[in-house]
Amino acid sequence: MHARPACVLLLVAHVAAAAPKVVLDPGHGGAFEGAMGVGGVMEKHLALEVSRRVRTKLEAAGMEVALTRDRDVHVRLAERVAFTNARRPDLFVSIHCNSMPTQAARERTAGLQTFFLSADSSGDEAGRTALRENADSSTARHPRTEDTLAFILQDLQRTEAHRDSAQLAALLHARVLEATSAEDRGVQQAPFFVLMGMDAPAALVELGFIAHPVEGKRLQEAAYQEKLADGIVAGIQAFLHHRPAAAAATP
């Protein structure tokens, strides 16, 4: 048996030791405040705070982490996608808080939702959530045009990453539920613009309903934010653990 050259061994060792790359996307920012919650708290601030907590935990676990924004600034949805693809991450997670359109609905609706990209929404509520989160995009006013739907369909077919996005969303959802005991509002599909064009598996987590009288206050608590971050980290770790086996099994 011939010994491998030293340069090959070094290359193999380097590849084996490469840290997983993750991009986190704190929703909204700057003039785009997102949903308004209990006591006037803004979605953009909660999304950034939880994203920072997730980053700290992932980096402690040896991962390489980038945020699409690390302060209160507006970053266009297209810029978030370009930023992510340039870094060639193993996965992308967009972090948001949810809301409802009427006061009566805000008082009774709570729970965790997690999404992956689809040309069609799972239901009316999923469609409304996508419309609200897409408001940062200049094309959000026409989310159902034939051109937009055709682009999403092409995007879903273009990259194998989308085959993994459903699994990423499911694992994130399950682990955050375990960490928080939040109400389960399910894993759903919707045409989120920030998930379009991603070369990596991508999911969007709605941490809870920011204007709910109980959940809205809980989302502002540091201890609960830690639980949310723990759940997201556990979901990411589970996905990274299962993905190589799934890839190896693919013919």
Side-chain angles (χ1 to χ4, degrees):
M1 180 180 294
H2 296 290
R4 290 185 177 181
C7 61
V8 174
L9 293 175
L10 288 173
L11 177 60
V12 171
H14 173 73
V15 171
K21 296 181 181 180
V22 175
V23 172
L24 302 174
D25 174 51
H28 308 286
F32 292 85
E33 298 168 348
M36 189 72 68
V38 175
V41 68
M42 299 176 187
E43 178 184 359
K44 65 176 183 177
H45 294 315
L46 290 183
L48 181 57
E49 178 59 32
V50 173
S51 296
R52 286 171 170 166
R53 292 178 186 273
V54 174
R55 176 178 62 183
T56 297
K57 294 174 184 293
L58 290 177
E59 289 178 342
M63 300 188 198
E64 182 180 327
V65 185
L67 269 60
T68 57
R69 67 177 182 94
D70 59 6
R71 59 192 190 282
D72 185 18
V73 295
H74 172 55
V75 181
R76 293 189 304 114
L77 299 182
E79 292 172 343
R80 296 172 193 244
V81 175
F83 173 92
T84 301
N85 287 341
R87 280 152 183 78
R88 302 175 63 85
D90 293 282
L91 59 93
F92 168 91
V93 180
S94 191
I95 296 175
H96 294 257
C97 297
N98 218 332
S99 187
M100 293 297 285
T102 67
Q103 183 61 36
R106 288 193 287 270
E107 290 179 355
R108 68 173 182 264
T109 308
L112 176 77
Q113 290 178 309
T114 310
F115 293 87
F116 60 97
L117 181 66
S118 173
D120 296 308
S121 300
S122 301
D124 291 342
E125 183 181 330
R128 287 194 300 268
T129 301
L131 279 173
R132 185 175 63 78
E133 302 296 10
N134 288 344
D136 293 11
S137 169
S138 60
T139 59
R141 297 174 185 173
H142 307 286
R144 294 286 298 177
T145 63
E146 292 183 4
D147 288 345
T148 300
L149 292 175
F151 182 87
I152 294 175
L153 290 171
Q154 291 170 7
D155 190 53
L156 289 169
Q157 296 170 356
R158 179 180 60 85
T159 172
E160 294 182 1
H162 286 296
R163 295 191 303 181
D164 295 328
S165 294
Q167 182 187 33
L168 172 61
L171 289 169
L172 285 169
H173 192 78
R175 297 304 190 272
V176 177
L177 284 177
E178 290 174 5
T180 63
S181 299
E183 182 178 339
D184 184 359
R185 299 191 68 83
V187 176
Q188 302 186 39
Q189 305 173 51
F192 287 93
F193 290 159
V194 75
L195 301 181
M196 291 169 55
M198 288 292 176
D199 292 334
L204 185 147
V205 181
E206 296 280 359
L207 301 172
F209 284 76
I210 193 171
H212 186 272
V214 176
E215 188 167 65
K217 292 179 181 178
R218 188 181 300 135
L219 287 166
Q220 300 177 50
E221 298 172 358
Y224 191 71
Q225 291 173 1
E226 280 289 292
K227 291 180 180 180
L228 289 166
D230 285 339
I232 292 171
V233 169
I236 289 172
Q237 290 174 323
F239 176 78
L240 292 172
H241 175 74
H242 288 97
R243 192 184 181 199
T250 302

